[in-house]
Amino acid sequence: MITTNLGYPRIGPDRELKKLVEGFWRGKVGRDELLAGGKALRLAGWKRQQQAGIDLIPSNDFSHYDQVLDHIAMFGAIPERYGWAGGAVDLDTYFAMARGTQAATAMEMTKWFNTNYHYISAELDGSFSLTENRPLTAWQEAKDELGLATKPVLIGPLTFLKLANNPRGLAYEGLLADLLPLYAQVLRELAAAGVEWVQMDEPVAVMDLTAEELSLLTASYRSLAEEDTPKLMVQTYFDDPAGNGETLMNLPVAGIGLDLVRGAESLATLEAHGIPQDKVLGIGLIDGRNVWRTDLDEALSTLERIGRRVNLDQAHLGPSCSLLHLPVTTDLEQALDPSIREWMAYADERLDEIALLRRAHDEGAEAVAHDLAENRAVIDRRRRDPRLSNPAVAERLGALSESDYARDTPDQERLARQKERLDLPLLPTTTIGSFPQTAEVRAARARYRSGELSAEDYRSYLDDKFREVIALQENLGLDVLVHGEFERSDMVDFFAQRLDGVAFIEGWVQSYGTRCVRPPLIYGDVSRPEPMTVEVSARVQKMTDKPLKGMLTGPVTILMWSFPRNDIAPQRIADQLALAIRDEVRDLEAAGIPVIQIDEPAFREGLPLQRADRPAYEEWATRSFRLSSSGVAADTQIHTHMCYSEFNELMPAIYALGADVISIENSRSASELLEAFRDFDYDRGIGPGVYDVHSERVPAAEEIADLLRRASKVLDVERLWVNPDCGLKTRGPAETEAALRNLVTAARQVRAELAG
Ligand code: GLN
Ligand code: ZN
């Protein structure tokens, strides 16, 4: 068997890439230093994969920001507003597209399928040109530096187009006619350089495609098959190809890669139909999305089952998807209980598992008997560990009834009671929770964690910050205030650290650009030993007469942004989390907090990629949210927040959450979104984001007022809220203040217009 990898984490074990890129943005790191640092990371990753015994090591999987943006740059799909003059795209233009500048808004960022990775969406205007053969440059680098022949990775043409924004609704057929010759050129040049395999990522092939899209997929590869290209492995991941299987398996390419971890039906399909004789199978057997060590006995028996229909000797054995979604190595987890650490595998350990399975297959299980025995023992220890179950949690879940999942007052009556209690103006203004997390705030938190700052001093430091941010919000004239979340490093991590059954990890995963997260590890039944946010919120509410919004993270988001246990169903984990949040919501209410926001920014990414699987997800996810939020009185206002803008299909589920107010992203995507809410007759509060927090650009008051005027034409003004489209934690203090000042000015202006 041949061992393969589909992508290696690019940020470095300790977020080295983040430090370089952000240093470059601040002018502290020069261009050469940035490029050299990136190169060092690539070389280290390649060497590690070589040592592990991976035959097909990916290249062009590295990126300074995002691999989709790299393709946008490579194919010259650069929107006019960046003033690009042609030729290879320089770093400044590249980062301007990602982040925006004072003169040009950033390109839209979207979640990568159902992961917590975000990519930059291309804006199709029909013109493409090849600016640079990036895969060739990457391949050549590995060749020159290490004598290593890698496997370049490209995003396939259909996936590239399907992930793009297509505001003018250009037909794929015409776009492909322009794009395919560029792919062909890239591939011809790779072949000429001596590249053997190229991985063409086509994850859209696991989604519901139309007959037309399927025929375009075939036509695309048929046209590439006429060229002199390397062998193409069309790689799918994140699900099984379901109804697209037939087309996928018959593409005129050398290999087809399937995800056997998330693709529930992949194995059955392979057992039933094998794979066409002329093709090599890419076996995505090792979980690239979660961190539990593979049960190698089980993996070997899966291989054996596949082997009855497929020639495994030529097959490529690898992870289920790129290892981008895992931290680099569990060696980082020195602070984690070793009896839990031994259950885990990150990217590097995944490579070892792949190499081990290959040996077991090629040389027989006896050759690796020792490793298999060790694996068996670990799997067994985990299975029997008493920390996995908490009978009290099971009992509470068993005792729930329907009334625990719904507020006991009808919607409109509830909203009226809240209006009376909160006494807010038309177009109330608020923020999404966090305020800038300056280096100073982070340093104080680090000093507290290391014991350098006493609990008392840390508390008084935080109180100063809270007082400062309350004063700022009062001064700006915001209506519903927040405490700024200075005590939190991360919205999921903060809760994870306070819940039983969840462990904190040191490893980092890229979320978007230079933003990295540490997903908590949910290893056992979840429960809340004591209140998590109540003390702080109560303290801060005392600092102001304005209503304070308590800030919580919802059960679905905690689940989605964690590495969840894989021994019980996800909905069961979500319900356990929901109970913990429910207790917190009630305690906040009891402490006098009138508004509570339960953030669910990950609600949509949990959505299964195939439509047929969605109703079941929507059902359990909305129920979990309702369980978390329904335990309060009618005049306590529940907000939720989701920072994306594709709601159309999700609208019934979003409505079913029952939140009194929802804030959403809107500033990059204008009015389509609002139309979805109008068409749905959404009759509760809604705050379309009017300030794009992913860009350092400060929107002018007039610009925000315009957005509000447009929103007020589409939606009932009585329901409209005014807020940024997400938390402000990554923004600088000065730009935040300026933007919020403009936001309040705009709200007042439009309020006056509406009144007059
Ligand atoms: N309350 C969080 C914040 O403001 C929400 C962040 C998010 O939606 N990603 O930071
Ligand atoms: Zn958000």
Side-chain angles (χ1 to χ4, degrees), residues 453-637:
L453 201 64
S454 71
E456 208 177 308
D457 288 348
Y458 181 57
R459 185 187 148 117
S460 90
Y461 171 80
L462 283 177
D463 273 350
D464 288 346
K465 292 300 295 179
F466 295 147
R467 258 188 293 272
E468 196 181 293
V469 81
I470 289 295
L472 172 67
Q473 293 171 89
E474 286 182 337
N475 171 280
L476 289 168
L478 286 155
D479 299 306
V480 173
L481 311 195
V482 297
H483 73 284
E485 302 182 21
F486 302 112
E487 80 288 17
R488 308 182 185 177
S489 58
D490 174 275
M491 64 184 291
V492 165
D493 205 64
F494 175 85
F495 293 96
Q497 298 210 29
R498 286 158 179 80
L499 291 169
D500 284 348
V502 187
F504 170 78
I505 64 166
E506 302 279 340
W508 294 101
V509 179
Q510 186 178 23
S511 170
Y512 67 84
T514 60
R515 171 131 174 85
C516 303
V517 294
R518 287 172 152 158
L521 185 75
I522 303 180
Y523 63 86
D525 284 345
V526 177
S527 61
R528 182 193 78 146
E530 58 183 22
M532 306 180 279
T533 65
V534 179
E535 213 221 16
V536 161
S537 288
R539 229 154 77 209
V540 179
Q541 177 65 89
K542 292 204 184 78
M543 299 173 186
T544 178
D545 294 333
K546 294 255 176 113
L548 185 81
K549 187 158 67 164
M551 301 299 314
L552 302 174
T553 302
V556 181
T557 295
I558 298 183
L559 175 66
M560 292 302 157
W561 288 354
S562 295
F563 288 125
R565 59 196 291 196
N566 55 358
D567 59 334
I568 65 173
Q571 54 265 50
R572 181 113 190 127
I573 308 175
D575 279 349
Q576 295 178 0
L577 288 161
L579 279 183
I581 300 298
R582 180 184 179 91
D583 293 346
E584 190 71 12
V585 169
R586 295 176 104 147
D587 287 345
L588 281 169
E589 176 183 59
I593 307 301
V595 182
I596 299 163
Q597 177 170 312
I598 307 174
D599 291 326
E600 284 288 17
F603 191 82
R604 182 172 149 262
E605 78 191 36
L607 209 58
L609 296 172
Q610 295 169 9
R611 231 164 264 135
D613 302 329
R614 289 183 185 171
Y617 166 78
E618 290 178 13
E619 169 76 15
W620 69 253
T622 43
R623 275 177 72 82
S624 281
F625 182 88
R626 297 172 74 107
L627 179 58
S628 74
S629 58
S630 297
V632 283
D635 65 354
T636 295
Q637 187 166 70

Side-chain angles (χ1 to χ4, degrees), residues 40 70 84 145 151 164 222 275 294-295 320 327 381 397 453 492 533 543 611 615 626 650 670 689 744 748:
D70 292 356
W84 171 68
E145 298 290 333
K151 171 191 61 169
R222 209 173 269 152
I275 179 166
T294 305
D295 181 335
S320 60
R381 278 200 288 279
L397 284 174
L453 201 64
V492 165
T533 65
M543 299 173 186
R611 231 164 264 135
R626 297 172 74 107
L650 254 187
V744 173
R748 285 185 177 148

Side-chain angles (χ1 to χ4, degrees), residues 621-676:
T622 43
R623 275 177 72 82
S624 281
F625 182 88
R626 297 172 74 107
L627 179 58
S628 74
S629 58
S630 297
V632 283
D635 65 354
T636 295
Q637 187 166 70
I638 299 289
H639 288 217
T640 190
H641 163 70
M642 302 185 175
C643 29
Y644 41 85
S645 52
E646 284 152 50
F647 282 103
N648 296 12
E649 281 182 277
L650 254 187
M651 204 53 93
I654 301 286
Y655 191 71
L657 295 176
D660 300 309
V661 179
I662 181 172
S663 61
I664 52 177
E665 190 217 278
N666 193 49
S667 51
R668 284 194 197 186
S669 50
S671 55
E672 307 138 44
L673 170 61
L674 300 182
E675 280 155 22

